[in-house]
Amino acid sequence: MVYSLPGNAQADSFSSVSQHKLQQLARDPQWLNLLHYKQSQSGARGQSYVDDVRFFLSADGKHDALAELQATLQAFYVTPQVSQCQFVARRQWLLEQIPELTTNLPEVKCQAYQEWRGKLKTQRVVLVFASSYLNSPSSMYGHTFLRFDPEGIDQGAPLLSYALNFGAITGENDNGMLYAYRGLVGGYPGLFSAQPYYEKVKEYSRMDNRDLWEYQLNLNDSEIDRMLAHIWELDKINFQYFFFDENCSFRLMELLDVARPGHRLAAQFPLVAIPIDTIRAADQAGMIADVIYRPSNRTKLTDKINQLSSQQQQMALQLAGDINVLSSREFASVAADIQRNIIDVAYSLLRDENNHEARDSTVAKRRFQLLKALNQRSDAAVVETEEASLSRAKLLPPETGHKTGLVGLVTGFEEGVGRGKNAGFVDLEGRIAYHDLLDNIAGYPKDTSLNMGRLVVRLKEGESPQLQRFDLLEITSLSARTAFFKPLSWQVNAGWERQWTEGKDELVAQVNGGAGWTRETLMGGRLFALLKGRLEYNPGFEQNLDIAAGFLAGAFWQQASGNLMIQAEYLDFADGADRSTFQAQYNYVLAENSALRIHFKRTLNDSTGVNEAGVSYRYYY
């Protein structure tokens, strides 16, 4: 059986393609890549992720790869100028698979596409990772996008390169809660968009204080050509956007699958696509040639501050507030190179503040005066490199950290004060993503915890398995306050957990949050204190739904070998009940993706006290 292409004389001249051949091609992984069909590691397929009818030439193209292949071949003959110039990557692939098309297919000139390619002049593709940003729901786990470097970029800066981003198209008046909800349920369309790289650097590095990691890909010319041809096909094409799976990073894995077929990168993320995990996938596939670190303005400023003595730091703070410090006797007594560094810190501090506050004419004048003073001392100090900043900060590339999924096995005992018995238990723990304050800090931001879908099931002798804890979301930010920066420490958590209430082990639903401050201590430690509020539905309360106010205080130390945290919490409920909790935990790093954790916890619910201790093995995947 053959499939004949109807339409015109040119189509009739085509020698026809056997149905068997078409069926083979419709199952080809690269054809499925070009259609963005859902594929598993085993090669199974379903339907396309694309949610835009303009992307399909067949009415059944979203669900039927063979129908879309047949419609594409037909369109290339019937409407060659429009269809071939719209689907350049499809045309390239079909010419490779069916060589006779080279002579039979109507010849067209796609001027707009050629002009676009000529404008880009791409010789290198870079995968860029922007570090996590807790204040944006869509960027809590970081963000990835592509950069296309033109010819001769090695002789110049890449800031004029073009960056390709995939993101949700949101409403101007959408608030944070609506944004998060719609992003979770796919309520936004997603589009690819391009802009100069310097705009992305300004957005992430300057405005949001996010470090950038640039992963140079080792794609050859033909692979770059395939990727760009397919990107052309996706112009203004809608995808449904989901924060955790069909997001920016997942879409980029699909593009890499098109450029270099065979690795099935997108298929490795059937449920959740955490940006840093996709970087690891590209690295394991051998696609990364080099890594360049681009610290944010805040990171570079912090590095400059740390190079000054305590007395010099205080002088820089004074200078940022009073330009007359430049003429003081104390400032004049400082060496010229140190003077320049002090002025540089004061000027950079005012620039940093200007990024997040309304413009003040007085501050702007002082900043200009500092810039003049800085230029007058331009030869007084050596300019620090970004590599030096990276070395001093002891940062590791994000992909070198532990993986984001977690399974754990906990064994321990529970001692119930007033219950008259002890009970051993085994906990089975799992977490979708991605890092808590006690996990190995290598490759992750310090002082932050972000967990999604943490599940703990407890097994006790003689009892049925029970849900011990399920966290929908837990976020903690404990950045330390300094004389230069005064971030707010905060925490939110929502889910279900076990609480002993009136002698019964109740499963309660809760949402809680708090805000406060964190200070540095000796040996790299942190002290923190937060005022907290909690809304809890507890069957053991007289009024099942109750609210509480209280505080959380503690200390933690983070080291390469392990992390220690001690904390105490007190809550006073509106109906008169109160709850106190003391907890100590230590996490010992065994390897990059494994750890041992020990914990002790004492909880007092009014007159009922429970002690719990345990040790767990944790494996990250």
Side-chain angles (χ1 to χ4, degrees):
M1 180 179 179
V2 296
Y3 174 72
S4 298
L5 295 170
N8 53 29
Q10 288 177 311
D12 293 337
S13 69
F14 180 52
S15 61
S16 300
V17 182
S18 71
Q19 186 70 12
H20 177 68
K21 175 67 171 178
L22 287 175
Q23 289 174 344
Q24 283 185 320
L25 293 177
R27 293 192 295 269
D28 190 289
Q30 182 66 342
W31 177 246
L32 300 177
N33 289 338
L34 290 172
L35 297 183
H36 291 261
Y37 263 55
K38 299 177 182 179
Q39 300 183 64
S40 69
Q41 290 287 67
S42 63
R45 59 193 184 279
Q47 65 179 20
S48 175
Y49 287 108
V50 180
D51 299 295
D52 195 322
V53 296
R54 296 172 299 169
F55 185 73
F56 302 104
L57 294 170
S58 167
D60 298 322
K62 183 176 176 67
H63 309 277
D64 190 334
L66 176 59
E68 186 63 19
L69 177 58
Q70 293 169 337
T72 299
L73 274 170
Q74 180 171 348
F76 281 3
Y77 279 88
V78 177
T79 58
Q81 185 66 40
V82 174
S83 58
Q84 290 187 42
C85 293
Q86 180 181 357
F87 296 105
V88 180
R90 294 190 195 183
R91 182 182 187 276
Q92 291 178 353
W93 180 78
L94 283 170
L95 289 174
E96 293 171 359
Q97 304 303 313
I98 312 173
E100 55 265 36
L101 286 180
T102 305
T103 57
N104 290 325
L105 204 62
E107 185 176 350
V108 299
K109 292 184 178 180
C110 303
Q111 183 175 352
Y113 172 69
Q114 294 302 329
E115 289 178 353
W116 177 70
R117 288 296 304 271
K119 183 179 180 180
L120 290 178
K121 297 180 180 178
T122 302
Q123 75 166 11
R124 183 174 63 202
V125 180
V126 179
L127 179 60
V128 183
F129 173 75
S131 60
S132 62
Y133 183 53
L134 295 184
N135 290 330
S136 172
S138 64
S139 297
M140 291 188 298
Y141 296 100
H143 179 65
T144 54
F145 58 95
L146 292 174
R147 191 185 79 211
F148 297 93
D149 292 344
E151 298 172 357
I153 194 65
D154 291 333
Q155 284 73 44
L159 294 180
L160 295 180
S161 300
Y162 273 90
L164 182 76
N165 182 68
F166 179 81
I169 307 303
T170 62
E172 293 182 2
N173 299 319
D174 288 1
N175 59 42
M177 291 296 293
L178 178 61
Y179 184 54
Y181 169 74
R182 294 186 66 180
L184 288 171
V185 301
Y188 289 118
L191 286 176
F192 284 99
S193 61
Q195 62 187 129
Y197 184 53
Y198 68 80
E199 292 287 352
K200 303 299 290 184
V201 172
K202 177 181 178 181
E203 175 186 353
Y204 292 127
S205 178
R206 179 178 173 184
M207 302 304 296
D208 295 341
N209 299 318
R210 300 168 68 176
D211 294 340
L212 298 178
W213 299 83
E214 302 170 347
Y215 298 87
Q216 296 181 8
L217 303 178
N218 57 10
L219 300 179
N220 59 39
D221 290 343
S222 61
E223 291 168 337
I224 293 174
D225 182 62
R226 268 197 299 270
M227 177 186 285
L228 290 173
H230 185 56
I231 289 171
W232 175 264
E233 296 178 340
L234 298 175
D235 182 38
K236 298 182 177 63
I237 295 299
N238 288 322
F239 294 77
Q240 199 171 10
Y241 184 90
F242 294 86
F243 284 156
F244 298 112
D245 50 4
E246 298 178 43
N247 56 21
C248 60
S249 297
F250 183 80
R251 293 276 91 89
L252 298 190
M253 293 300 99
E254 291 184 312
L255 293 183
L256 293 184
D257 280 337
V258 168
R260 184 177 291 175
H263 292 294
R264 297 186 184 275
L265 296 178
Q268 297 178 31
F269 305 97
L271 299 176
V272 177
I274 302 298
I276 193 55
D277 286 337
T278 63
I279 297 288
R280 289 194 189 95
D283 188 29
Q284 292 169 1
M287 289 188 174
I288 295 177
D290 196 12
V291 185
I292 295 176
Y293 173 60
R294 185 182 293 273
S296 69
N297 287 359
R298 176 68 64 84
T299 299
K300 289 187 283 189
L301 173 55
T302 301
D303 181 60
K304 294 174 185 177
I305 292 170
N306 291 337
Q307 294 179 65
L308 300 178
S309 67
S310 298
Q311 183 180 6
Q312 293 162 1
Q313 290 179 12
Q314 186 62 33
M315 194 179 300
L317 275 174
Q318 294 171 350
L319 179 57
D322 183 4
I323 196 66
N324 293 319
V325 171
L326 285 174
S327 57
S328 67
R329 182 177 303 175
E330 181 182 16
F331 185 81
S333 66
V334 177
D337 58 335
I338 301 299
Q339 285 185 2
R340 187 187 191 283
N341 291 344
I342 291 172
I343 297 171
D344 190 16
V345 168
Y347 172 74
S348 299
L349 180 62
L350 291 180
R351 283 194 63 188
D352 182 84
E353 293 174 350
N354 184 66
N355 289 336
H356 307 93
E357 298 178 3
R359 186 181 186 277
D360 183 290
S361 59
T362 302
V363 174
K365 179 180 178 181
R366 191 185 315 134
R367 193 167 66 245
F368 178 72
Q369 291 171 318
L370 288 172
L371 183 60
K372 287 177 59 179
L374 194 61
N375 290 333
Q376 292 169 358
R377 296 167 174 82
S378 58
D379 298 328
V382 177
V383 177
E384 294 292 335
T385 64
E386 294 179 354
E387 288 76 11
S389 174
L390 173 61
S391 175
R392 276 192 298 273
K394 298 181 180 179
L395 293 177
L396 292 173
E399 78 280 4
T400 62
H402 67 77
K403 295 183 178 179
T404 56
L406 171 73
V407 291
L409 179 65
V410 186
T411 180
F413 73 91
E414 197 176 50
E415 178 188 36
V417 178
R419 291 189 293 149
K421 65 175 183 178
N422 300 336
F425 66 83
V426 172
D427 283 350
L428 304 177
E429 180 177 359
R431 182 181 70 196
I432 296 175
Y434 107 121
H435 176 77
D436 68 32
L437 285 166
L438 288 167
D439 287 331
N440 185 2
I441 60 174
Y444 284 85
K446 291 184 176 181
D447 311 334
T448 62
S449 172
L450 176 56
N451 293 279
M452 177 72 67
R454 180 192 175 202
L455 175 69
V456 180
V457 176
R458 178 158 294 185
L459 308 175
K460 295 181 181 179
E461 183 179 355
E463 298 184 16
S464 300
Q466 68 177 23
L467 175 62
Q468 187 69 16
R469 186 182 189 96
F470 179 59
D471 289 333
L472 289 170
L473 178 68
E474 181 275 322
I475 308 175
T476 302
S477 176
L478 298 179
S479 298
R481 295 169 68 90
T482 68
F484 290 87
F485 310 116
K486 296 177 171 56
L488 179 71
S489 294
W490 57 278
Q491 181 184 70
V492 294
N493 175 263
W496 290 262
E497 63 186 27
R498 292 278 170 180
Q499 290 290 345
W500 284 95
T501 309
E502 298 295 332
K504 294 183 179 180
D505 190 8
E506 303 282 6
L507 181 64
V508 308
Q510 60 83 28
V511 58
N512 73 82
W517 55 263
T518 301
R519 295 285 188 184
E520 291 188 6
T521 65
L522 298 176
M523 300 172 60
R526 301 284 192 274
L527 291 174
F528 61 91
L530 283 71
L531 295 176
K532 296 199 65 176
R534 180 180 175 99
L535 178 65
E536 180 175 315
Y537 182 85
N538 188 332
F541 287 158
E542 291 184 11
Q543 299 180 15
N544 293 159
L545 185 64
D546 204 356
I547 60 173
F551 67 87
L552 172 68
F556 67 96
W557 292 263
Q558 295 176 317
Q559 303 293 334
S561 60
N563 303 321
L564 171 68
M565 174 174 283
I566 301 172
Q567 59 184 354
E569 182 181 59
Y570 175 78
L571 294 170
D572 187 11
F573 287 88
D575 70 352
D578 63 79
R579 181 182 300 150
S580 301
T581 305
F582 171 81
Q583 188 169 202
Q585 301 178 81
Y586 179 72
N587 190 84
Y588 179 72
V589 177
L590 296 173
E592 177 182 313
N593 289 306
S594 62
L596 284 178
R597 184 172 296 189
I598 58 176
H599 77 273
F600 171 78
K601 181 180 180 181
R602 176 170 174 79
T603 304
L604 281 173
N605 286 284
D606 290 334
S607 58
T608 303
V610 178
N611 298 325
E612 178 184 305
V615 58
S616 65
Y617 173 75
R618 300 164 68 83
Y619 176 74
Y620 305 86
Y621 66 92

